[in-house]
């Protein structure tokens, strides 16, 4: 979801609650917003817990990861796909790599927290 849209919806929930039911409605709107934030936090924790079980930078199939990647994906979505944290290629945190057992690897470049481009390299292509 777009960050601005989320803030607008949160403010709308507070405003509609206040207009409809006064301070009790505003409190209900605040409760709904807090619940939504808890759901998002729970999702992030669940993804990280699943990623904790796999080696860093490992994926079952780099080719399948390459097929599932889309421009604009967030890192949380990519970690959810791979079930593993990526291995950082440089100190900036912009480039990440995942490798499979066959030697294939997918390099992902992130810009502004979103996937901007990626490339698949196989072991035969490197030599």
């Amino acid at each position: 979801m777009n960050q601005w849209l989320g803030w607008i919806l949160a403010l709308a929930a507070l405003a509609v609650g206040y207009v409809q039911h006064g301070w009790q409605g505003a409190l209900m709107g605040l409760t709904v917003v807090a619940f939504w934030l808890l759901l998002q936090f729970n999702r992030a924790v669940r993804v990280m817990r699943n990623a904790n079980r796999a080696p860093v930078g490992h994926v079952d199939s780099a080719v399948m990861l390459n097929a599932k990647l889309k421009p604009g994906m967030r890192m949380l979505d990519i970690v959810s796909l791979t079930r593993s944290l990526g291995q950082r290629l440089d100190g900036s945190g912009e480039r990440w790599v995942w490798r499979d057992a066959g030697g294939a690897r997918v390099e992902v470049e992130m810009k502004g927290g979103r996937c901007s481009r990626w490339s698949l390299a196989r072991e035969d292509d490197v030599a």
Side-chain angles (χ1 to χ4, degrees):
M1 175 188 289
N2 185 350
Q3 177 182 1
W4 291 106
L5 180 62
W7 281 109
I8 291 170
L9 288 174
L11 289 174
L14 290 172
V16 167
Y18 182 76
V19 168
Q20 297 267 332
H21 301 287
W23 67 269
Q24 293 99 344
L27 189 60
M28 181 62 179
L30 184 64
T31 304
V32 168
V33 170
F35 182 69
W36 178 256
L37 290 173
L38 283 172
L39 285 175
Q40 297 305 310
F41 179 74
N42 186 32
R43 177 177 181 251
V45 168
R46 187 176 60 245
V47 168
M48 290 301 142
R49 189 176 335 133
N50 289 339
N52 184 37
R53 297 180 184 141
V56 173
H58 177 76
V59 67
D60 291 334
S61 172
V63 175
M64 289 303 295
L65 174 60
N66 181 55
K68 291 180 180 180
L69 285 174
K70 297 179 185 94
M73 288 181 83
R74 295 175 301 152
M75 180 59 90
L76 189 63
D77 298 328
I78 297 172
V79 172
S80 180
L81 274 177
T82 62
R83 295 191 175 100
S84 168
L85 295 173
Q87 184 177 15
R88 189 180 312 190
L89 287 179
D90 54 12
S92 69
E94 295 290 322
R95 292 181 44 217
W96 301 83
V97 66
W98 283 268
R99 293 178 173 86
D100 65 7
R105 66 186 194 156
V106 175
E107 289 184 22
V108 178
E109 185 173 331
M110 306 293 284
K111 294 274 192 213
R114 298 200 176 257
C115 175
S116 61
R117 63 184 191 163
W118 66 93
S119 62
L120 172 69
R122 298 184 186 213
E123 192 171 290
D124 334 1
D125 300 340
V126 176

